[in-house]
C-alpha cells in the first residue's frame, strides 16, 4: 500500500512538471528527460513516458499509469528554466518530493508573465530595429514602432478574447497592413514593404518553429510535425492578413 501511494505521488509530480513545461513551450525531448529524471531520483526503478503537445502519459511499471491533458500552450521559457532548476535541486536532495510538488503548484499559480506594457514596448523595439536591419530608412523608424505595437496589442488582447485559434494573428496582421498603407499614403513612411516586415516580426512564431525542428531531429516525429503544423497555420494567418491588405489596396 505504501508503494502504491508513493508511486501515485511520483506520477503526480512528474506529470505536473511535464504539463507545465509543455504549456510553457518546452521541447518534447526536454519534457520527457525531466520527467524521467524526476522519477528515477524519486526512487522509481522503471518508467515510460509519452508526450504530445496536447497531452502526456506516464507509467511506473505495468500497473501504475496516469494521463494528463494539456489544454493551452504559450511561450514562457523562464517558467521552463525554473522547473528545471527545481528538478536539479530535487536531484541533489535539497528538497523532498513533497516540497517539490508544492513548489510546482505554487509556480503554476504564480506563473512568471511579463506585463502587457512591457511586451508592447518590446514589440515596438523589435519592429523598428529589425526594419532598420533589413535596410530600412530611419524616417520609417517611428511609424514602424507604432504599427508594430498596435499589431501586437491586437494579437495579445485578441488571444484572451477570441476562442478561435489563429484569429488573433490574422486580425493583427490585417491591422498592420492597413496602418502601413495609411502611413505611406499620408507620407509618414516611405518603404511599405519594410514597414510591414518589421511590424509583423513580433507575431512570427520563431520559438515553435525552432522547437518543431529540434523535436523532429530528436526523433519525436509526432510532436515535431504537430508543432510544425501549428506554426505553419500561424504563419499562414499572418500571410493571409497581409495579402488581403494588398488585395484591397
Amino acid at each position: 500500500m505504501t508503494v502504491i501511494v508513493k508511486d501515485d505521488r511520483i506520477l503526480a509530480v512528474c506529470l505536473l512538471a511535464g504539463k507545465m513545461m509543455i504549456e510553457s513551450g518546452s521541447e518534447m525531448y526536454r519534457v520527457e528527460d525531466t520527467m524521467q529524471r524526476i522519477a528515477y531520483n524519486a526512487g522509481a526503478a522503471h518508467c515510460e513516458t509519452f508526450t504530445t503537445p496536447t497531452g502526456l502519459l506516464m507509467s511506473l511499471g505495468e500497473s501504475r499509469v496516469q494521463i494528463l491533458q494539456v489544454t493551452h500552450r504559450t511561450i514562457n521559457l523562464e517558467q521552463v528554466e525554473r522547473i528545471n532548476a527545481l528538478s536539479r535541486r530535487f536531484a541533489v536532495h535539497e528538497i523532498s518530493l513533497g516540497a517539490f510538488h508544492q513548489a510546482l503548484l505554487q509556480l503554476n499559480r504564480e506563473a512568471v508573465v511579463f506585463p502587457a506594457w512591457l511586451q508592447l514596448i518590446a514589440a515596438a523595439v523589435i519592429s523598428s530595429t529589425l526594419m532598420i536591419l533589413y535596410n530600412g530608412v530611419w524616417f520609417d523608424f517611428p511609424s514602424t514602432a507604432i504599427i508594430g505595437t498596435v499589431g501586437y496589442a491586437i494579437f495579445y488582447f485578441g488571444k484572451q478574447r477570441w476562442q478561435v485559434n489563429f484569429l488573433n494573428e490574422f486580425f493583427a496582421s490585417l491591422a498592420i497592413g492597413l496602418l502601413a498603407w495609411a502611413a505611406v499614403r499620408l507620407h509618414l513612411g516611405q518603404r511599405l514593404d519594410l514597414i510591414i516586415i518589421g511590424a509583423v516580426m513580433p507575431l512570427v512564431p520563431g520559438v515553435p518553429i525552432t522547437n518543431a525542428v529540434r523535436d523532429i531531429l530528436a526523433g519525436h516525429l509526432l510532436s515535431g510535425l504537430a508543432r510544425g503544423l501549428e506554426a505553419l497555420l500561424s504563419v499562414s494567418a499572418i500571410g493571409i492578413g497581409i495579402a488581403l491588405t494588398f488585395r484591397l489596396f
Side-chain angles (χ1 to χ4, degrees):
M1 188 69 179
T2 303
V3 175
I4 295 177
V5 173
K6 182 180 179 181
D7 287 348
D8 287 339
R9 294 186 63 187
I10 295 174
L11 286 172
V13 173
C14 292
L15 289 172
L16 178 59
K19 178 184 178 182
M20 292 171 61
M21 292 180 71
I22 294 175
E23 290 176 341
S24 301
S26 176
E27 309 93 323
M28 290 300 162
Y29 71 86
R30 189 186 303 275
V31 174
E32 290 190 357
D33 180 70
T34 301
M35 293 172 62
Q36 290 172 356
R37 288 178 182 272
I38 294 172
Y40 290 137
N41 290 325
H46 177 74
C47 70
E48 294 288 344
T49 59
F50 179 76
T51 59
T52 70
T54 57
L56 61 166
L57 181 147
M58 186 173 188
S59 69
L60 298 179
E62 297 181 355
S63 58
R64 312 305 301 167
V65 180
Q66 289 188 17
I67 187 172
L68 199 61
Q69 184 180 14
V70 179
T71 56
H72 70 278
R73 293 169 300 280
T74 185
I75 302 299
N76 191 342
L77 299 184
E78 186 170 353
Q79 184 88 322
V80 175
E81 192 279 330
R82 292 194 175 193
I83 296 172
N84 283 330
L86 287 173
S87 176
R88 288 190 291 269
R89 291 183 60 193
F90 178 67
V92 296
H93 307 292
E94 289 186 6
I95 56 176
S96 64
L97 184 64
F100 190 9
H101 194 197
Q102 292 300 319
L104 286 175
L105 292 174
Q106 182 177 359
L107 190 60
N108 194 32
R109 290 192 299 266
E110 303 171 359
V112 180
V113 179
F114 292 107
W117 64 268
L118 185 57
Q119 295 189 43
L120 294 177
I121 292 176
V125 173
I126 291 172
S127 301
S128 53
T129 53
L130 287 180
M131 182 273 300
I132 296 296
L133 290 177
Y134 288 130
N135 295 322
V137 295
W138 286 100
F139 182 78
D140 294 338
F141 190 92
S143 58
T144 305
I146 294 173
I147 293 171
T149 303
V150 173
Y152 188 80
I154 296 174
F155 168 79
Y156 179 83
F157 294 106
K159 185 187 299 184
Q160 302 175 6
R161 178 176 298 272
W162 298 317
Q163 300 299 320
V164 181
N165 291 333
F166 313 114
L167 271 183
N168 48 346
E169 289 98 334
F170 170 75
F171 285 115
S173 61
L174 180 63
I176 288 172
L178 294 174
L179 291 173
W181 175 83
V184 173
R185 288 295 301 268
L186 296 174
H187 304 290
L188 300 175
Q190 296 180 0
R191 297 289 303 275
L192 175 62
D193 54 344
L194 293 181
I195 292 175
I196 292 177
I197 290 173
V200 300
M201 281 300 164
L203 308 180
V204 175
V207 174
I209 293 174
T210 303
N211 287 347
V213 174
R214 295 182 68 177
D215 281 337
I216 291 175
L217 294 178
H220 294 263
L221 300 181
L222 179 62
S223 299
L225 292 175
R227 282 187 163 177
L229 179 60
E230 185 177 24
L232 179 62
L233 291 175
S234 296
V235 172
S236 299
I238 295 171
I240 292 172
I242 297 299
L244 185 60
T245 303
F246 284 107
R247 181 66 177 176
L248 295 176
F249 302 98

